Amino acid sequence: QSALTQPASVSGSPGQSITIPCTGTRSDIGNYQLVSWYQQHPGKAPKLLIFEVSNRPSGISNRFSGSKSANTASLTISGLRAEDEADYYCLSYTTSATFVFGGGTKLTVL
Amino acid sequence: EVQLLQSGGGLVQPGGSLRLSCAASGFTFSSYGMGWVRQAPGKGLEWVSSISASGSRTYYADSVKGRLTVSRDNSENTLFLEMSDLRVGDTALYYCAKDRKATPAGEVDHWGQGTLVTVST
């Protein structure tokens, strides 16, 4: 199972919005609503931001939103803040009854 | 408060074996899917394995199938990962992961502190 495809890096200025795409295939993202997103700061465990494509766990800011179209899922962060600088990963269930992460995207807040 | 306390990592030679444990508290362990996620030094996250709440269903990444075995003891609130035939490429920080659902859905809402496994001569 190949990793989902994410850009290695994205950047934005405080207050702006950015979108991180996560591209898979009909065997994963395109076939299921089980897509989640994680934020990881250096030296820390990941944190769940989005589950089931677009749902936020309690306590997660509504500045984070998720969506999906065909084989591509996306995470949008609005009103960028310095503390949003981190690595972001998507995760999807697959038709092989496995899960697969994206390669990760490093967000830099300029 | 949910707590996942990991133990069992360390240095092992290629071909060797190791057992990781994850002691859970603060929630009804037998009601939630659990799993393992690893991260090689300086690299991204890699899903390793998951197990359903009852333990009846297990899931493995192709890279570890046949070498790593996930299990759980719901009477002791503990998750295990038995690792055998270890390879240099298995070197990583291993995280214990609690899913939001009984059947693993890739929705990890709590993580262990991580335990380092180093496979080297």
Side-chain angles (χ1 to χ4, degrees):
Chain A
Q1 179 69 49
S2 299
L4 305 174
T5 301
Q6 298 181 232
S9 63
V10 297
S11 62
S13 299
Q16 288 186 332
S17 294
I18 63 96
T19 295
I20 299 173
C22 170
T23 302
T25 68
R26 288 180 296 176
S27 296
D28 37 68
I29 292 175
N31 204 33
Y32 298 101
Q33 292 296 102
L34 293 180
V35 178
S36 51
W37 287 90
Y38 295 87
Q39 176 192 63
Q40 186 180 36
H41 287 106
K44 301 293 186 181
K47 178 181 181 181
L48 180 65
L49 296 177
I50 297 287
F51 65 93
E52 290 176 356
V53 175
S54 59
N55 294 301
R56 282 185 308 274
S58 61
I60 298 300
S61 170
N62 59 9
R63 297 188 302 108
F64 296 92
S65 62
S67 63
K68 188 184 86 162
S69 176
N71 299 337
T72 298
S74 298
L75 173 71
T76 297
I77 309 174
S78 58
L80 269 180
R81 299 177 180 173
E83 60 261 36
D84 297 332
E85 187 161 293
D87 294 325
Y88 292 83
Y89 296 89
C90 55
L91 175 69
S92 175
Y93 186 64
T94 83
T95 54
S96 300
T98 62
F99 294 90
V100 61
F101 276 103
T105 298
K106 181 178 180 59
L107 169 62
T108 300
V109 181
L110 303 170
Chain B
E1 180 193 2
V2 172
Q3 289 194 337
L4 300 172
L5 186 60
Q6 298 182 227
S7 60
L11 174 64
V12 62
Q13 292 188 337
S17 300
L18 210 55
R19 186 198 209 197
L20 305 185
S21 299
C22 173
S25 61
F27 65 103
T28 305
F29 182 71
S30 60
S31 295
Y32 295 93
M34 298 290 296
W36 296 94
V37 173
R38 70 185 181 185
Q39 188 166 33
K43 303 297 184 182
L45 301 174
E46 181 185 11
W47 173 79
V48 173
S49 180
S50 295
I51 186 168
S52 61
S54 67
S56 61
R57 184 87 192 268
T58 57
Y59 311 73
Y60 296 98
D62 288 345
S63 59
V64 306
K65 198 172 296 183
R67 301 186 300 115
L68 274 57
T69 302
V70 63
S71 62
R72 62 191 298 161
D73 184 338
N74 284 347
S75 66
E76 295 290 334
N77 295 341
T78 304
L79 176 73
F80 302 101
L81 186 66
E82 298 277 0
M83 311 172 76
S84 63
D85 189 21
L86 283 163
R87 305 167 181 172
V88 171
D90 294 318
T91 295
L93 185 66
Y94 284 73
Y95 288 104
C96 168
K98 172 193 169 292
D99 204 283
R100 294 180 64 255
K101 299 174 178 171
T103 297
E107 301 168 6
V108 179
D109 59 357
H110 290 89
W111 300 76
Q113 82 276 20
T115 188
L116 185 62
V117 172
T118 303
V119 184
S120 176
T121 55

